[in-house]
Each structure stands twice: as structure tokens, then as C-alpha cells.
Amino acid sequence: MNITSFFIYYIVVTFTPGPTNIVILSSVHHFGTKKAMEYVGGATIAFGLLLAASAMLNHILAGVIPNILNIMQIIGSLYMLYLAYQIYRMSSAEAKPKQTANFVSGLLMQFVNPKVLLFTLTVIPSYVMPYYTSSLASFVFVMIITVIGFLAFTTWVVFGAVFRSFLQNYQKVINTLTALFLVYSAIMVSGIL
């Protein structure tokens, strides 16, 4: 397992701006830290549930369709390249979603967030299943990924104001670096290098 590629991909996907992180940032400023943490709680639980469902689905598919892991690695690589492009072209003029910050909205947001859905469907077959075949290993990775996801969400709460001004001032540089890291991860997952 290329642990460096895994962590780069994971950190880029969870710590960079996306629908959930933008709502968390907005919630801190509009509703306060306590309400934002309620939202984070719901988002984290949904994230863990989606990862667990993905791990189970991928284990079932791997048993039924032997080459599914190769297909999922290709899909995961293409998704990472798509994310890299989207992040690179992101501008500060994009509207920030406005939602009520509570547990239920955090939970529901993850189930409709395409970034999270595609990530949860690709991370286990791309990084875990080619190297670890047991359900226990998948469960351990689901737990690790969920905890890191919680830490990413909490980081947006704790440092919301700092990140907001920093991202606004250096957005193009950050987006370019983030996109390059995702391209690297896509290449590593695809097996080209």
C-alpha cells in the first residue's frame, strides 16, 4: 500500500473546501462553534456509515466480479483527476451554501454530497482492498478514515476564521497545489508509476 499517496489523497479530499467544509465554515460565523459542532457530529456519523456501506459493497462485488478492484481503481483515479480540475478552477466568487447548522442537516448533507459519495466509493477499493482482504482490515480503515474525517471537520470549526481569510488571500496558490497533489494521488492509484 502506498501510504503516502493514501494520506495525500485523504487529506486533500477531507481538508480542502467542499460542500460540507464550506457549510461548517459558514456555520461557525453565523451560528457559533456549538451549533457548528452539532453539524460536525451529524456529518461524521454519516461519513462513517457511507464508508462502512462502501466497504461491505466492495467486498461483495470483489467476490462476485474478480476484476472489480481494477475497475474501481481506474474510476477512483479518474475521479481524483476530476476533483483536481474542479479545485484548480474554483474561484472565491462561488456562493457559499446557507443551511441551518444542526446534527440532522450535517447527517443529510453527507448523503447528498457528491464529493463524499464518490470518495467513500473509491477509497476502500483503491487503497485498502488491493492490499488487505479481510473484513477486519476494512473495518479498521473505516474507523481510521472516519476519525480523520472528524478531525478535518473539527479543524474547519476551530480554525474557521483563520482558514477563511487565508484561503481568500491565497486561494489560487492553494487550489493549484491541492490540484497537483490530487493528480499525484491519481497517478499512484492508477498504477502508472
Side-chain angles (χ1 to χ4, degrees), residues 72-118:
M72 291 304 287
Q73 284 177 302
I74 292 167
I75 291 170
S77 295
L78 292 173
Y79 171 65
M80 288 179 220
L81 292 173
Y82 168 77
L83 266 183
Y85 173 72
Q86 291 299 319
I87 289 171
Y88 177 75
R89 67 181 203 86
M90 190 183 303
S91 73
S92 59
E94 291 183 10
K96 291 180 171 49
K98 292 183 176 148
Q99 288 190 2
T100 303
N102 60 39
F103 181 86
V104 174
S105 64
L107 187 80
L108 295 176
M109 174 67 148
Q110 296 299 68
F111 288 108
V112 297
N113 182 346
K115 182 179 175 184
V116 168
L117 292 173
L118 288 171

Side-chain angles (χ1 to χ4, degrees), residues 24-46:
I24 290 169
L25 183 64
S26 177
S27 297
V28 170
H29 293 290
H30 292 100
F31 306 111
T33 304
K34 185 177 178 183
K35 277 296 207 183
M37 285 307 294
E38 285 180 31
Y39 185 90
V40 165
T44 302
I45 297 221

Side-chain angles (χ1 to χ4, degrees), residues 10 13-16 19-21 24-25 28 36-37 39-48 106 110 113 116 145-160 163:
Y10 186 73
V13 170
T14 56
F15 282 86
T16 57
T20 302
N21 293 338
I24 290 169
L25 183 64
V28 170
M37 285 307 294
Y39 185 90
V40 165
T44 302
I45 297 221
F47 186 60
Q110 296 299 68
N113 182 346
V116 168
I145 293 167
T146 302
V147 168
I148 296 172
F150 171 75
L151 295 173
F153 298 150
T154 304
T155 299
W156 279 86
V157 173
V158 174
F159 297 107
F163 280 147

